[in-house]
Amino acid sequence: MAQQEDQFKKIVSHAKEYGFVFPSSDIYDGLSAVYDYGQNGVELKNNIKRYWWESMTLMHDNIVGIDSAIFMHPTIWKASGHVDAFNDPLIDNRDSKKRYRADVLIEDELAKIEDKIEKEVTKAAKRFGDSFNETLYRETNPRVLEYKSKYNALHERFAQAMSDNNLEELRQIIIDCEIVCPISGTRNWTEVRQFNLMFKTEMGSTADGAMSVYLRPETAQGIFVNFLNVQKTGRMRIPFGIAQIGKAFRNEIVARQFIFRMREFEQMEMQFFVRPGEELEWFKKWKETRMKWHKALGMGDQKYRYHDHEKLAHYANAATDIEFEMPFGFKEVEGIHSRTNFDLSQHEKFCGKKIQYFDPELGESYTPYVIETSIGVDRMFLTVLASSYEEQKLENGEVRTVLHLPAQLAPVKVAVMPLVKKDGLPEKAQEIVNTLKFNFATQYDEKDSIGKRYRRQDAIGTPFCITVDHQTLDDNTVTLRHRDSMQQERVNISDIESIIDKEVSLSKLLKTLV
Ligand code: GAP
């Protein structure tokens, strides 16, 4: 656990050091849970978005995109249920004046018990060596069993309180577990209250009568309220989808784990409108399609799992998360929900206009059902960064820090380097840059030793480095170095483009999804 935390800290500082992610307002000591993307981060982020966007809109002739505004009519959030129910339970410590999410305090307590079990197992594994039977130990060791039973009892009580929305019981659990405030160390807790996560602001001058509006907490509602606009102007026939990428805002009480939980973040959402009764079949299809999209990046199939929801939101009739193994455990990256006709019906009720689809094949009108796929860009970014980072021990004893980014997502695809800064090598290298740059993000680098330059490119995940030397001037060949294997080969300049393209091409990656 400590090792994983350590690894995570290294990833966060690497992200800053190499221009991927900076704390927002850094020179003012940052703004909690808000981050800026640097020169490499923005390229990686754009590539993730492009991969998603093209997998939706290019690969499906029945999916189109939109870009709706962040500000929306406030009644939309009443209709969607966000005004009344988009809440987290919070609790304050009277001594430190710090505010916490009550559910997170209890989840941390559960994690502590899990930690204790893992520690017992690790200790025993060391003690027994090769003869250690982990499964048997977990099933029979009295101390492990005691912890397990404590965990199960607490988990059950907690799940019940959450499901009943029982704030008093949440507080009682905190008291009974003797959970203390990490700052003051005391148990002087207030009552638990509901806290709405939406940011509110004023639109228009007060003289005109300002209207309270919200910063959208999800992009999905922009799709629902444009359902008829898109369906009619695009002459879309069900089944069809609308995709959108955009910013969302949530006043998260507990903001931690870097870009995993942010107050300003980006979502990639797609609402797929289907005939009532066919939604579960489509849910199954989208579940598979989205998992395939993740796995095609080659970050390791074993790092993904589904988490099917047992308890469903009142508007859903099926829901699952795609979880990824982060340095802090398996966590949700994407949600896939069968949302019935809840949202469209609610908007119909609140706006007073008919929102229906006339199905020419059935000869009848209905409110379409919806399958939603919703993924956070920043969380996806974190999965890519975390799974790519390696401090690799080399044969000569040195350690290189390398990002094994999927080549299609790498911010820089190829770096071109003259071996020395003279004899016409920089000019030749520039010539190569000038041909490659129209197809690939290309960097020119002539500073420091060639070894240092390779390391710099490894650290930002550049899949290819090209070195121009004196032989290049004679026979038009260069050294091509591969990031992961560090192998070098002599290739003709005229072959470079096709070699690089084979690995970094987004369209080739998209073809693997078919
Ligand atoms: N329209 C459905 C919806 O918004 P959600 O599970 O609340 O569902 C979808 O969010 C995805 O958005 C999550 O799976 C996650 O990737 C991302 N996300 C949600 N809250 C986030 C936050 N505070 N910071 C970063 N990403 C977040």
Side-chain angles (χ1 to χ4, degrees):
M1 199 70 175
Q3 202 181 347
Q4 280 172 324
E5 267 171 32
D6 195 36
Q7 171 86 348
F8 188 47
K9 275 188 194 147
K10 283 181 183 169
I11 293 168
V12 175
S13 64
H14 187 86
K16 183 171 181 193
E17 191 180 343
Y18 285 92
F20 284 90
V21 184
F22 306 128
S24 156
S25 323
D26 203 12
I27 56 171
Y28 290 91
D29 299 329
L31 183 66
S32 174
V34 187
Y35 290 89
D36 296 339
Y37 286 83
Q39 67 280 15
N40 289 317
V42 69
E43 297 294 342
L44 173 55
K45 197 176 183 213
N46 283 342
N47 291 339
I48 291 171
K49 289 196 268 185
R50 199 170 310 132
Y51 176 43
W52 184 87
W53 186 259
E54 295 191 358
S55 78
M56 288 292 174
T57 61
L58 291 189
M59 290 185 58
H60 299 93
D61 54 14
N62 59 352
I63 297 181
V64 291
I66 62 163
D67 182 16
S68 70
I70 287 170
F71 290 133
M72 300 171 78
H73 195 286
T75 309
I76 287 172
W77 304 111
K78 192 80 191 147
S80 68
H82 284 82
V83 170
D84 296 321
F86 196 52
N87 299 321
D88 277 342
L90 67 83
I91 190 165
D92 293 286
N93 181 272
R94 290 198 183 93
D95 299 320
S96 67
K97 310 268 184 276
K98 285 278 169 202
R99 179 162 289 179
Y100 300 91
R101 256 174 71 175
D103 55 333
V104 172
L105 286 179
I106 300 169
E107 277 168 7
D108 285 352
E109 190 64 18
L110 285 165
K112 270 189 207 156
I113 305 175
E114 266 183 332
D115 252 18
K116 283 182 185 158
I117 298 176
E118 293 316 308
K119 271 195 190 125
E120 289 295 329
V121 174
T122 316
K123 253 194 326 202
K126 263 194 200 146
R127 205 165 55 233
F128 294 115
D130 287 345
S131 64
F132 183 56
N133 181 337
E134 186 178 325
T135 318
L136 190 67
Y137 186 82
R138 283 182 188 274
E139 281 167 5
T140 54
N141 178 271
R143 206 167 316 173
V144 169
L145 291 180
E146 193 190 314
Y147 285 138
K148 248 192 207 165
S149 121
K150 197 173 163 193
Y151 179 94
N152 290 341
L154 177 57
H155 188 266
E156 204 174 301
R157 196 176 161 198
F158 170 54
Q160 192 62 47
M162 289 297 284
S163 142
D164 298 344
N165 213 358
N166 188 342
L167 303 183
E168 263 171 44
E169 172 69 351
L170 284 179
R171 181 171 190 274
Q172 200 51 50
I173 295 174
I174 290 172
I175 303 291
D176 293 348
C177 290
E178 302 185 347
I179 296 174
V180 296
C181 164
I183 308 286
S184 65
T186 71
R187 289 181 229 143
N188 194 2
W189 296 111
T190 62
E191 298 305 303
V192 177
R193 283 169 296 136
Q194 290 291 22
F195 175 79
N196 195 287
L197 296 183
M198 284 196 293
F199 284 101
K200 211 178 196 180
T201 187
E202 300 289 311
M203 181 176 268
S205 73
T206 22
D208 293 335
M211 173 164 73
S212 285
V213 290
Y214 300 99
L215 298 188
R216 65 180 177 197
E218 62 170 16
T219 56
Q221 297 305 323
I223 292 178
F224 289 124
V225 299
N226 275 298
F227 168 76
L228 283 181
N229 282 339
V230 174
Q231 190 272 318
K232 293 215 163 101
T233 57
R235 288 175 288 115
M236 308 300 289
R237 283 180 162 218
I238 274 180
F240 76 89
I242 304 178
Q244 170 161 230
I245 299 178
K247 289 268 183 162
F249 304 84
R250 296 182 189 178
N251 197 2
E252 300 282 358
I253 303 163
V254 177
R256 59 179 182 187
Q257 286 155 336
F258 190 37
I259 54 172
F260 182 78
R261 196 176 299 286
M262 302 158 88
R263 295 202 166 109
E264 173 180 343
F265 59 101
E266 226 171 336
Q267 287 185 316
M268 306 190 279
E269 298 200 292
M270 195 277 298
Q271 316 296 133
F272 199 73
F273 300 94
V274 304
R275 277 183 191 159
E278 294 183 359
E279 72 277 8
L280 292 181
E281 208 179 300
W282 281 109
F283 173 74
K284 196 165 158 257
K285 273 192 196 150
W286 277 109
K287 213 173 134 172
E288 283 159 15
T289 305
R290 292 303 305 145
M291 186 60 105
K292 209 168 172 187
W293 182 90
H294 284 276
K295 288 186 174 173
L297 287 170
M299 297 191 294
D301 289 5
Q302 76 289 353
K303 289 191 176 149
Y304 297 92
R305 70 180 188 196
Y306 290 116
H307 170 234
D308 293 329
H309 293 204
E310 282 155 33
K311 187 180 171 287
L312 295 168
H314 61 281
Y315 52 77
N317 63 4
T320 197
D321 295 335
I322 292 179
E323 294 186 340
F324 184 84
E325 193 176 11
M326 302 274 189
F328 40 88
F330 272 93
K331 296 285 170 197
E332 173 193 342
V333 179
E334 171 157 8
I336 300 154
H337 301 129
S338 173
R339 295 180 68 116
T340 66
N341 61 0
F342 173 79
D343 301 86
L344 290 182
S345 303
Q346 282 292 99
H347 288 306
E348 185 168 74
K349 204 161 92 191
F350 276 76
C351 76
K353 294 177 190 104
K354 202 167 161 193
I355 307 181
Q356 293 229 323
Y357 170 77
F358 177 74
D359 192 322
E361 278 170 46
L362 297 181
E364 61 180 68
S365 293
Y366 53 78
T367 310
Y369 273 45
V370 172
I371 306 302
E372 166 184 81
T373 73
S374 175
I375 170 170
V377 179
D378 313 86
R379 271 194 204 174
M380 185 61 202
F381 187 103
L382 187 55
T383 65
V384 172
L385 196 65
S387 72
S388 302
Y389 181 89
E390 190 192 10
E391 283 173 5
Q392 192 179 35
K393 270 214 175 100
L394 304 178
E395 277 172 13
N396 62 5
E398 278 179 25
V399 175
R400 72 160 179 158
T401 304
V402 53
L403 290 185
H404 300 284
L405 297 174
Q408 302 86 347
L409 303 184
V412 179
K413 307 297 190 214
V414 52
V416 186
M417 313 164 170
L419 186 63
V420 289
K421 262 193 279 183
K422 56 181 184 184
D423 304 335
L425 300 191
E427 290 76 11
K428 187 71 184 172
Q430 277 293 356
E431 216 177 90
I432 298 173
V433 169
N434 288 337
T435 54
L436 294 180
K437 71 181 180 189
F438 294 100
N439 287 324
F440 312 111
T442 310
Q443 234 177 43
Y444 174 79
D445 192 2
E446 61 174 24
K447 230 173 157 189
D448 300 320
S449 73
I450 204 78
K452 268 196 184 158
R453 282 182 264 172
Y454 283 157
R455 291 289 172 272
R456 262 203 301 269
Q457 295 300 331
D458 288 344
I460 63 166
T462 306
F464 294 103
C465 288
I466 290 170
T467 307
V468 172
D469 55 22
H470 292 93
Q471 192 186 329
T472 312
L473 303 179
D474 294 335
D475 64 3
N476 255 352
T477 63
V478 290
T479 303
L480 185 74
R481 176 188 181 267
H482 297 257
R483 177 196 65 200
D484 296 340
S485 64
M486 291 189 292
Q487 268 176 0
Q488 302 186 10
E489 55 177 332
R490 197 82 202 172
V491 300
N492 208 293
I493 291 176
S494 58
D495 294 332
I496 295 174
E497 249 184 76
S498 71
I499 298 174
I500 297 175
D501 186 69
K502 219 185 278 170
E503 277 197 41
V504 309
S505 155
L506 194 55
S507 54
K508 287 198 175 76
L509 176 62
L510 290 171
K511 278 183 193 154
T512 67
L513 300 179
V514 182

